[in-house]
Amino acid sequence: MSQVRAIIGLGNPGADYEATRHNAGAWLVEAVARHAGGELRPDRKFLGLHARVQFEGHDLHLLNPTTFMNRSGGAVAALCQFYKLAPEELLVAHDELDLPPGNARYKTGGGHGGHNGLRDTISALGNARGFHRLRIGIGHPGDSRQVTPYVLGRPGKAEHTAIEAAIDECLATLPDALDGQWARAMNRLHSFKP
């Protein structure tokens, strides 16, 4: 299995969106940058905020696209082309409706599950689906017609605390994932309860 060389956090740009549920993937990348003592800076060639950091002995690219969610793929493709990254070397962090807040799961490959950021990323990578994902639970509003306002809304205090706890647990399991110890990383993360 390929070594992860880049972590991409999906979200929407700007102050209006930074605290919304749809930006949970971007929150994870921001947390990795803080942990590694790095700073995400605007980089036009990658259509996003980029940093190169050392995280637990691994040289990593961090990227939060600053295109809107449904245009995330252009930023991902630009990073891959510039640094010659294969899809299998990516870990894409994103919000996940099908998991409650406080839960997170690793996954490799698969479809987009209706997630517009994943849909555009798969398309921009030439329909390659073999990248790793880090699914950060935000819960579901219970009615499919409410999904858009829900993901673009801010989580309540308890919900936000649960998502933050899951992100902290993601950081704790990342070294195993980056070492290719996916089973160990999954066992720990998937059994976490906030």
Side-chain angles (χ1 to χ4, degrees):
M1 198 173 280
S2 295
Q3 187 95 25
V4 169
R5 294 173 56 205
I7 304 177
I8 293 128
L10 300 185
N12 282 311
D16 290 348
Y17 295 104
E18 66 188 359
T20 63
R21 293 178 182 94
H22 221 14
N23 276 37
W27 299 345
L28 178 278
V29 167
E30 289 163 5
V32 173
R34 275 193 308 274
H35 184 85
E39 184 182 347
L40 290 159
R41 292 198 169 107
D43 193 322
R44 280 198 307 227
K45 72 179 166 291
F46 302 135
L47 311 171
L49 303 174
H50 174 257
R52 192 159 187 175
V53 299
Q54 289 293 318
F55 181 88
E56 306 291 333
H58 295 270
D59 183 29
L60 285 178
H61 293 281
L62 304 179
L63 177 67
N64 279 346
T66 51
T67 54
F68 280 90
M69 180 67 86
N70 60 354
R71 291 283 173 250
S72 302
V76 179
L79 185 77
C80 288
Q81 286 164 359
F82 191 84
Y83 287 111
K84 308 285 187 273
L85 303 173
E88 297 76 28
E89 295 174 314
L90 307 178
L91 175 62
V92 177
H94 64 89
D95 58 304
E96 178 57 69
L97 287 163
D98 294 334
L99 292 172
N103 288 254
R105 300 281 185 271
Y106 288 110
K107 177 181 178 184
T108 299
H112 54 71
H115 192 290
N116 288 331
L118 287 177
R119 178 185 281 122
D120 196 60
T121 297
I122 290 168
S123 175
L125 294 175
N127 274 340
R129 296 160 189 260
F131 55 89
H132 305 285
R133 296 108 188 270
L134 183 44
R135 304 161 61 220
I136 301 166
I138 60 166
H140 195 287
D143 180 340
S144 60
R145 292 170 298 196
Q146 294 300 314
V147 165
T148 299
Y150 179 78
V151 300
L152 295 178
R154 294 168 183 241
K157 189 168 185 201
E159 198 184 329
H160 192 270
T161 299
I163 293 169
E164 288 285 315
I167 287 173
D168 287 345
E169 190 66 9
C170 291
L171 287 183
T173 63
L174 259 181
D176 281 337
L178 296 174
D179 286 337
Q181 302 290 328
W182 290 99
R184 190 187 307 165
M186 286 178 182
N187 285 341
R188 176 168 174 178
L189 184 61
H190 298 190
S191 60
F192 175 71
K193 296 281 180 277

